[in-house]
Amino acid sequence: MGDQHNSVVRRFRQRARLTQEELAARSGVSVRTIRGLETGDRPNPQLTSLRQLADAMDLPPADRDELMAEVLGVTPVPSGSSASGSSASGISAGRSSAKGFPGGSSVPRQLPAAPTGFAGREAELAVLAQAVDAMTVDTGAEASATIVISAIAGAGGIGKTSLALHWAHTHADRFPDGQLFVDLRGFGPDGDPLDPLTAVRGFLDAFGVDPAQVGGGLAEHTALYRSLVIDKRLLIVLDNAATADQVAPLLPGGRTCTVIVTSRRSLSSLITRHGARHMSLAVLTQDEAEALLAWRLGDARVAAEPDAVADLIRLCGRYPLALAIMAGRAQTYPAFPLAEFAAELHELGLDALDDEEPTASLPAVLGWSLDSLTEQQRTVFGLLGLAPGPDIGLPAAASLTGLPLAEVTRILRSLEEASLVGRHAHGRYGMHDMIRRYAVATADQLPEDTRSAALRRIVDFYLHTAYDADRILSPHRAPQKLEAPEPGCQPLALPDYDAALAWFDAEHRCLLASQHTAGDQGWHRAVWQLAWTLTTFQIRRGLRHDQAAVWELGLAAEHHLDDPTARLLAHRFLGFAYGDLGQHDDAVRHLNESAALAEQQGDTSNQARTELMLARAWGLSGDFGRALEHATRALDLYTTIEDVPGQAHALNDAGWSAAQLGRYDLARANCEAALAIYERHDDPDAQASTLDSLGYIEHGTGDHERAIERYQRSLTLRRGLGDVSQIANCLDGLGNPYAALGRRDQARAVWQEALDLLRAQQRHEDAARIQRQLDAL
C-alpha cells in the first residue's frame, strides 16, 4: 500500500513541479497529510483531501482516476470506457483484492417499476427534460457549473413519485452510469424518516462497496459516495423527503449527475442553497383525468357512461390518488355501472376514499402530512377547512383563528410548505377540495366551542368590514346598528373608496358564503345585515342574480327577527332585485308589501323610498305612466317630511319617466332641480344619474352636442364609482347623439364597450339591442 501511495502521489506532485509545501498551500491540505500519503503512513485518507490535491495539481481526468483508484485500493478504468463496471470517473467498482469490492457489474439500476396507467403531465415532463438538456451543448461538453436538481413538491397523493419514476424510466438511456433510488420515508406509515447515513450506505452498497471497509459516520460515507459518483452520468431519485437537511448529504459533489427530489414540502433551502429547480405539482387536467380512467377501465367502459365519468372526475376534484382509488374499485367490479361508484362518492364524500390499506386510503395519505405539524398548525388547518368561501386572505385568517396577523402568517407559510394550502395572488390562500374535506374532518375533532367561536369570528369579520366598506361606497345610506364583534375578531379598516371597492371585489364570494354560514348557525341578524352590506356593491357591479339571492336569504332570516323595519326593507330590496332581473310581477308584489308595511308603521321615509322603487319597476316594464305616478307620490311624501335629498331622488325619477313619455319640458325642469340639490349635497352617484337623464332629454330635443356633454360628465362620475352597471347604461345612451351627428367611429366605440359590459352582466336583451345598433352602423 505504501508503494502505491509513493508511486502515484509523489509522481503527480513532481510532474506538477510542486514541493510538498507548495502543494499544501495551493490545495489547503496539510503538509503532514501529503507526506503521509507519499510514504504510505496514512492508508485511509479523507476523500475530500484527495480531491483537493487532484484539483491543485490540475490533473486531467485519467490521472485523477488513477490517483483516486490507487489510494482507494480499487482498479482504475480509463475515462469514458463503456466496459461493464466502468464509469465516467474511471473508477471500477469491480472486486479489488485490496478493498474487497464485489465482482460483476457495478452499474446500479435501483429504480422501482415504472408506474402503470400514467397519464398526461406533458408540461411537467418537458420541464424535467429541459433541465437535463441544459447540462450539455451539441458537442456534449458540459455547460452547467452545478448538478441539476429538480424538486417536485405537492400534496400527498398528487402523483409526485409517479411523475419522477415515469420520467426516470423514459430517460434512463441518458444516464449510462446508472440510477440510484431511495425512499426517504418522509411521510408514511413506517414511522421516522430514513436517516441520511442509511441512505448513503444503500448507495455505497449499490456500487459494491464493502461495508466493513468504510469507517466513520455520515461525513466519511458521504465523502466516499461523492468520490464514486464524480463525473458520472447518473440519475439520483430521492423520493418522499421530509426536509432539506435529509436531502443535502445525498447530493453529489460533481456536476454531471441529475437529482430528482420529491417531497410534500417545498424544501426552499434546496432552491436557495443548491439551485434546485422547483416544480409544484397540481391536480390533473380534465383530459388527463379522462385518460387515466380510460387506461384503467378501458375505453369502451368509459365511453359507455360519459356522465358518470364526468361525475367521478368532478367529485374526485381531478385528484390523482382519488381517481386511482375509484378506478381500482370499479376494476374490482367490472359488471357494476360507473354511476354507482359516482353515487357512492357523492353520498359518502371523503369516507368513500378510505381503505384499510393505508397507501390506498386518501385520508390516511393526507393524514401523514399532519404528523409533522404542531398542534397549533393542525388546529389552524382544521379551521381553514371551515372558513366560508373558496379561499381566504390573511386578515380574515387572523380573525378565523383569533391569532395575531404575524403569527397566522407564519402558520400559513408552514402549511404552504407542507403542501396543505396553496398561496394565490394578492396574499390569498386556498385548498384543493379533497384536502379541504380532510381539513373539515380534522376540525370535527376540535371542541365544539372552538369551532363555533372561529365561525363567529370569521362571520363577524366579513360583516363588520363589509359594513364599513359599504359606508364608504354609499355614505348617504341610513346606518344600521351592529352588535360588537366576537372577541378575537379583527375587522379590517379600509382607507378610501378604491380600497373598499377592491376589498368587495376580492371577498365577494367569501361574503356570499359567510351569509350561508351564518344561516346554518342560526345567526339570523347577521344573515340580514350581510344582505344589507352587499347591496350597494352588487348594484354597482351589476351582480343582479347575487343581489336577489342574498335578499332571498335576508327575507327568510327576517322571519326569525320580529323586526318590522327589517321585514319591509327585505321586501323592498328583493323587489328591486327582481325588477332588475325582469321578474316584474315578483318585483311589484314585494314592493307593494314593503309599501304597505311602511304605511302601517307610519314610516313615511321608507314608504317614499319604496314608491321610488315601484316607479323604477314600472319603468323597467315599459309602463312609464305608472312609473310617473309612483315618482310623483314619492315626491309628495318626501316633501311632507322635508327630506330634501329624497325630493331630489323623486324629481330625477319623475323627470326620467316624463322624458320617456315625451314630456321634455317637465322632464328637464325636474332633473335640473334635482341636479342642483345633488351638487349642494355632494352626492356623485345621484349627480351621475341625473346627468344621464339630462343627456337623454337633450338628445330627445335635438341638442346632441349638449347631450354628449351631459353623458360624458355622467360617465366620468360612474367610472370613478366603479359602477359598471350604470356605466353600460350611460355608454348605451352616449352612442345615440354620436350616431345622430354622424360620428360613427365614436358611436361604435362606446356601444362596443357597452356591449361587452352587458354581456358580462348577463343582460342579454339589452346586449342584443346594442348589437343591432352596431350592425345598423
Side-chain angles (χ1 to χ4, degrees), residues 7-18 57-60 62-64 66:
S7 63
V8 68
V9 178
R10 179 177 295 174
R11 173 160 50 88
F12 286 145
R13 176 178 62 77
Q14 291 175 343
R15 183 188 301 175
R17 298 182 179 180
L18 297 171
M57 292 184 290
D58 196 23
L59 297 181
D63 290 344
R64 179 177 57 193
E66 183 180 355

Side-chain angles (χ1 to χ4, degrees), residues 53-330:
L53 290 173
D55 290 341
M57 292 184 290
D58 196 23
L59 297 181
D63 290 344
R64 179 177 57 193
D65 295 343
E66 183 180 355
L67 170 69
M68 302 291 285
E70 289 196 10
V71 175
L72 290 172
V74 297
T75 303
V77 179
S79 295
S81 170
S82 60
S84 175
S86 69
S87 72
S89 70
I91 301 176
S92 171
R95 177 173 297 277
S96 162
S97 59
K99 283 291 184 179
F101 279 39
S105 173
S106 65
V107 178
R109 306 292 185 189
Q110 289 191 327
L111 291 179
T116 57
F118 186 87
R121 302 294 194 191
E122 297 300 330
E124 292 84 356
L125 291 170
V127 170
L128 290 174
Q130 289 168 3
V132 177
D133 291 342
M135 292 182 62
T136 59
V137 294
D138 293 341
T139 61
E142 295 170 1
S144 173
T146 59
I147 58 171
V148 173
I149 307 170
S150 295
I152 306 173
I158 205 70
K160 302 179 295 296
T161 301
S162 293
L163 173 66
L165 289 179
H166 177 81
W167 186 89
H169 277 280
T170 56
H171 292 77
D173 60 334
R174 301 287 298 273
F175 305 98
D177 297 315
Q179 305 91 36
L180 298 174
F181 177 92
V182 63
D183 178 1
L184 295 173
R185 299 205 307 261
F187 304 89
D190 299 328
D192 295 333
L194 188 69
D195 178 59
L197 177 58
T198 303
V200 175
R201 181 64 260 171
F203 288 167
L204 294 178
D205 289 344
F207 286 109
V209 177
D210 185 351
Q213 301 299 320
V214 185
L218 178 61
E220 289 74 17
H221 282 73
T222 298
L224 177 56
Y225 156 64
R226 287 174 175 160
S227 297
L228 290 175
V229 302
I230 193 75
D231 291 336
K232 287 179 182 280
R233 289 301 305 275
L234 194 72
L235 175 63
I236 304 166
V237 180
L238 308 176
D239 187 45
N240 195 14
T243 65
D245 289 340
Q246 188 188 25
V247 169
L250 307 180
L251 299 178
R255 58 185 182 179
T256 59
C257 293
T258 292
V259 181
I260 297 179
V261 184
T262 75
S263 178
R264 299 189 186 193
R265 297 189 172 276
S266 58
L267 307 181
S268 55
S269 66
L270 280 185
I271 302 169
T272 56
R273 293 171 53 194
H274 300 282
R277 293 164 170 83
H278 175 71
M279 177 189 296
S280 181
L281 208 57
V283 296
L284 300 174
T285 66
Q286 183 72 18
D287 289 344
E288 291 170 343
E290 291 175 359
L292 185 152
L293 292 179
W295 191 93
R296 288 180 174 268
L297 302 177
D299 292 336
R301 191 175 182 187
V302 168
E305 293 187 73
D307 292 341
V309 169
D311 286 341
L312 280 171
I313 293 173
R314 176 179 55 83
L315 292 167
C316 288
R318 307 196 309 276
Y319 206 93
L321 180 56
L323 287 165
I325 290 171
M326 297 310 296
R329 292 183 187 166

Side-chain angles (χ1 to χ4, degrees), residues 708 731-755 770 773-774 777:
I708 291 171
L731 290 165
D732 180 7
L734 178 57
N736 292 314
Y738 278 140
L741 292 170
R743 293 154 68 172
R744 295 185 177 182
D745 289 345
Q746 290 166 298
R748 183 176 292 107
V750 296
W751 277 341
Q752 185 61 55
E753 185 181 354
L755 180 63
I770 295 291
Q773 293 169 190
L774 283 166
L777 286 176

